[in-house]
Amino acid sequence: MIHVEGLRKSFGELEVLKGIATDVASGEVVAVIGPSGSGKSTFLRCLNLLETPTGGTVQINGTELTSPKADVRAARQEIGMVFQHFHLFPHLTVLGNLTYAPVKVKRLSKAAAEEKALGLLSRVGLSDKAGAYPSSLSGGQKQRVAIARALAMEPRLMLFDEPTSALDPEMVKEVLDVMKDLAKSGMTMIVVTHEMGFAREVADRVLFLDQGALIEEGPPETFFSHPKTGRAKDFLQKVL
Amino acid sequence: MKPPMNLDFSQMTPYIPYMLQGIWVTLKFVFVALLVGALLGTLLALFKISGPAPLRIFAVTYTSIFRGTPLILQLMLIYFAVPQLTGYDITPFLSAITAFGLNSAAYISEIIRAGIQAVDKGQVEAAQALGIPYRSMMKDIILPQAFKNILPALMNEVITLTKESALVSTIGYLDLMRRAQVVGASMYRQFEPLLFVGLIYWILVMILTLIGRQIERRMNASDTR
């Protein structure tokens, strides 16, 4: 489903990604971990071209996103993204947040979009918040709304950029639970995370990035109990 | 002999309706100039933020010139230079709205640019990630949020424009200020009519200030952020 080859990204002199190659199959849940500054968020943001790669290719469902001819906006409709800081639209209600893009971009009728949005809200356990403004929600609720907003576009792939890093500890679980459900439903997911428990429990595969390179990858059981590289061992020692 | 210290407003009474009409004249031209300024200013702001290089350079240069030269000079240039260059006899009203419109466009474009750039960059990214087209994103997501940053500064611009509008008296446009001078000349007393229109300007500005505060309060009330 996703095919990444020789992906490079530099910010000026600083080379953040030094040639990353990997494939993600449909329905796979991939956790991307690594020390801060390892380039994992940049890697994720290159997948929907929020960052323009300086080199290499990204193919999603056979479309080469990095080609100059690619319709990036159309491709993005199929790629949901959840941000560390939620980025809900503060001037719209929760329902407005969920229906705006489907109505505007997918030309859904308002009624159809609302019906779908209410279904998604009940799925993330926030049916009673449809009319609320984001400011009145807790961090965990905001992030669940953000997940529902991304799902409202019926994406085939979901990207999560440290979705629980900005949350108070007691709210992490409610968000991870929603993500677990989503994983179980067969959604293809790429999750940049510091939640090792989540990576171990939910991910099919772990990518370990360090200093802009993909150092090690494999199923979580193997990676967490028998890391092959010294850098992965060092990292795991610090976080586990 | 010392000149007599007297203020006599009674002589001015017959001229009062004439001067009061100036309120409408002033407001009309301030309103039109502001409209021109707001439309052009929005366009310039968009050029500066996301236009291709030539448009961006144009917008920045434009702003620099109109903010960097006296408004009265711009007004005189338009009023006197247009007939000289084209033979078209431009009216004081047209000169006034052109000069004030073009000038306030420069200031308003900066107000809008700053307001838009103060909106969290994450909002743009969220919109992009959802595949929302640029125009819709600007119109429905970014500008409504930017408006809250913009409004106080914009209200300030309206007030400045209202006061500065007195400059058009120099090209014979019969605004409040000019009418005070006309009345002063015909009754050989300057002080009273000047004080009178001064009071009117002050009241106008106070009203605008109150309206601005009211709008701000309402926006904050509807926003439970």
Side-chain angles (χ1 to χ4, degrees):
Chain A
M1 179 177 202
I2 305 172
H3 178 67
V4 181
E5 234 179 73
L7 186 64
R8 293 179 174 278
K9 174 70 187 177
S10 302
F11 294 104
E13 293 288 289
L14 185 71
E15 194 173 33
V16 182
L17 295 178
K18 301 169 181 164
I20 293 196
T22 191
D23 286 276
V24 178
S26 183
E28 201 178 4
V29 177
V30 175
V32 183
I33 62 175
S36 55
S38 59
K40 48 192 193 308
S41 279
T42 308
F43 167 69
L44 194 75
R45 291 162 58 83
C46 279
L47 296 182
N48 66 352
L49 260 65
L50 280 187
E51 302 291 353
T52 314
T54 15
T57 57
V58 175
Q59 268 183 39
I60 293 186
N61 296 319
T63 320
E64 188 179 326
L65 277 189
T66 34
S67 135
K69 287 174 294 184
D71 185 351
V72 175
R73 201 166 66 71
R76 281 173 176 157
Q77 293 173 34
E78 311 230 297
I79 311 173
M81 182 149 190
V82 174
F83 300 88
Q84 181 177 356
H85 295 287
F86 332 124
H87 300 330
L88 294 177
F89 304 133
H91 59 302
L92 301 179
T93 62
V94 167
L95 197 64
N97 267 277
L98 264 65
T99 54
Y100 178 77
V103 169
K104 203 78 189 180
V105 183
K106 294 193 117 181
R107 306 266 164 225
L108 237 60
S109 75
K110 195 160 177 270
E114 283 183 357
E115 192 187 321
K116 187 139 150 254
L118 291 173
L120 283 167
L121 282 179
S122 93
R123 188 167 162 192
V124 300
L126 291 171
S127 295
D128 55 329
K129 297 290 185 190
Y133 281 90
S135 55
S136 66
L137 304 179
S138 72
Q141 291 171 331
K142 280 182 195 166
Q143 195 60 298
R144 284 186 280 154
V145 171
I147 293 172
R149 177 177 68 176
L151 290 175
M153 288 296 282
E154 300 189 318
R156 295 163 71 173
L157 161 69
M158 286 281 285
L159 307 176
F160 293 83
D161 190 2
E162 304 198 17
T164 56
S165 298
L167 299 179
D168 291 333
E170 74 271 21
M171 292 169 184
V172 171
K173 187 172 174 297
E174 62 191 66
V175 171
L176 290 182
D177 284 346
V178 168
M179 291 168 62
K180 277 179 204 167
D181 269 357
L182 195 60
K184 268 187 219 142
S185 76
M187 177 63 78
T188 313
M189 294 164 62
I190 303 182
V191 186
V192 171
T193 186
H194 293 291
E195 294 292 330
M196 296 305 147
F198 176 83
R200 184 183 288 211
E201 190 186 337
V202 182
D204 300 309
R205 185 154 51 104
V206 174
L207 303 187
F208 174 69
L209 266 64
D210 192 17
Q211 296 175 5
L214 179 55
I215 304 294
E216 193 172 332
E217 63 178 311
E221 315 83 69
T222 333
F223 175 78
F224 283 109
S225 39
H226 306 289
K228 292 190 282 269
T229 57
R231 280 200 254 177
K233 278 178 198 159
D234 278 356
F235 175 72
L236 288 175
Q237 233 161 36
K238 280 180 203 143
V239 297
L240 290 182
Chain B
M1 197 179 93
K2 258 171 46 170
M5 285 279 292
N6 62 342
L7 270 178
D8 182 4
F9 285 95
S10 61
Q11 279 188 50
M12 200 180 68
T13 318
Y15 298 105
I16 283 178
Y18 174 75
M19 284 192 285
L20 286 178
Q21 276 165 26
I23 298 177
W24 168 237
V25 175
T26 287
L27 284 181
K28 189 174 69 177
F29 120 80
V30 166
F31 180 76
V32 177
L34 206 68
L35 212 62
V36 173
L39 287 175
L40 204 57
T42 309
L43 207 63
L44 287 169
L46 291 176
F47 285 176
K48 283 184 213 171
I49 288 172
S50 46
L55 289 182
R56 213 167 50 230
I57 291 166
F58 167 77
V60 170
T61 314
Y62 179 100
T63 306
S64 165
I65 290 172
F66 276 91
R67 292 205 305 180
T69 56
L71 176 52
I72 191 163
L73 176 95
Q74 296 161 16
L75 182 67
M76 296 266 165
L77 266 179
I78 289 168
Y79 185 59
F80 294 118
V82 168
Q84 186 186 329
L85 291 178
T86 65
Y88 173 66
D89 193 11
I90 192 166
T91 63
F93 178 70
L94 204 55
S95 311
I97 57 169
T98 309
F100 277 75
L102 294 180
N103 182 274
S104 71
Y107 284 92
I108 290 176
S109 76
E110 274 304 289
I111 292 171
I112 294 177
R113 184 195 57 76
I116 289 175
Q117 286 181 338
V119 174
D120 181 11
K121 201 166 154 279
Q123 293 290 310
V124 175
E125 294 190 343
Q128 284 177 339
L130 287 165
I132 296 169
Y134 178 82
R135 279 174 79 98
S136 310
M137 171 182 85
M138 271 304 179
K139 185 167 75 68
D140 299 331
I141 308 292
I142 305 301
L143 287 178
Q145 295 183 59
F147 198 60
K148 284 173 61 105
N149 310 329
I150 292 171
L151 196 75
L154 205 58
M155 216 50 217
N156 216 20
E157 173 66 14
V158 175
I159 288 169
T160 306
L161 204 65
T162 308
K163 287 185 295 179
E164 295 285 292
S165 73
L167 281 179
V168 297
S169 60
T170 58
I171 60 167
Y173 185 59
L174 276 173
D175 73 326
L176 265 177
M177 183 68 196
R178 181 74 189 155
R179 281 168 197 250
Q181 291 169 337
V182 169
V183 170
S186 67
M187 61 180 207
Y188 303 105
R189 303 181 71 92
Q190 297 294 342
F191 209 9
E192 291 86 348
L194 286 176
L195 270 184
F196 183 69
V197 298
L199 180 71
I200 293 176
Y201 276 115
W202 181 71
I203 291 172
L204 285 179
V205 167
M206 281 304 111
I207 291 172
L208 288 173
T209 309
L210 287 176
I211 292 173
R213 267 189 215 145
Q214 204 60 40
I215 298 174
E216 241 177 280
R217 195 171 306 157
R218 192 170 306 169
M219 288 185 82
N220 285 337
S222 77
D223 181 54
T224 36
R225 242 187 296 180

